[in-house]
Amino acid sequence: MDRDKSQAYWRANTALIRNLLIVWALVSLIFSILLVEPLNAIQLGRVPLGFWMAQQGSILTFVVLIFIYAVQMDRLDRKYGIRK
């Protein structure tokens, strides 16, 4: 792989990681900690949403982000001709 293609690959890779980390931080820090009181006013079944986000929502979001990362990296690898 030439130098320009390599730089473009790593730029795309780090942008993907940055964006996924922003989503993770938003869900785990903002929704689960900082906004827990306002979210508790909303019920998810019989459980306050803020509590649910702190206990289950952030974990589920993290698992989904792992799958998104795997799929997107597979696409990037194919786009830039990276062999496994």
Side-chain angles (χ1 to χ4, degrees), residues 20 60-73:
L20 293 176
L60 292 175
T61 301
F62 185 67
V63 171
V64 169
L65 290 176
I66 291 171
F67 284 108
I68 291 171
Y69 177 75
V71 168
Q72 292 295 338
M73 280 307 298

Side-chain angles (χ1 to χ4, degrees), residues 24-80:
W24 171 77
L26 202 95
V27 170
S28 65
L29 297 174
I30 305 298
F31 293 143
S32 298
I33 297 172
L34 298 177
L35 294 177
V36 72
E37 291 298 324
L39 288 177
N40 278 339
I42 302 168
Q43 296 287 315
L44 187 64
R46 286 191 264 165
V47 179
L49 183 60
F51 176 78
W52 187 86
M53 284 301 294
Q55 298 301 314
Q56 301 296 324
S58 58
I59 295 169
L60 292 175
T61 301
F62 185 67
V63 171
V64 169
L65 290 176
I66 291 171
F67 284 108
I68 291 171
Y69 177 75
V71 168
Q72 292 295 338
M73 280 307 298
D74 190 46
R75 288 182 184 160
L76 275 178
D77 289 347
R78 278 192 251 121
K79 179 180 177 180
Y80 289 98

Side-chain angles (χ1 to χ4, degrees), residues 1-18 69-84:
M1 182 168 21
D2 66 1
R3 184 175 173 90
D4 291 335
K5 195 173 181 181
S6 178
Q7 286 179 344
Y9 172 77
W10 284 108
R11 202 172 311 118
N13 186 355
T14 55
L16 173 62
I17 292 170
R18 180 197 64 231
Y69 177 75
V71 168
Q72 292 295 338
M73 280 307 298
D74 190 46
R75 288 182 184 160
L76 275 178
D77 289 347
R78 278 192 251 121
K79 179 180 177 180
Y80 289 98
I82 306 297
R83 295 187 181 166
K84 294 182 180 182

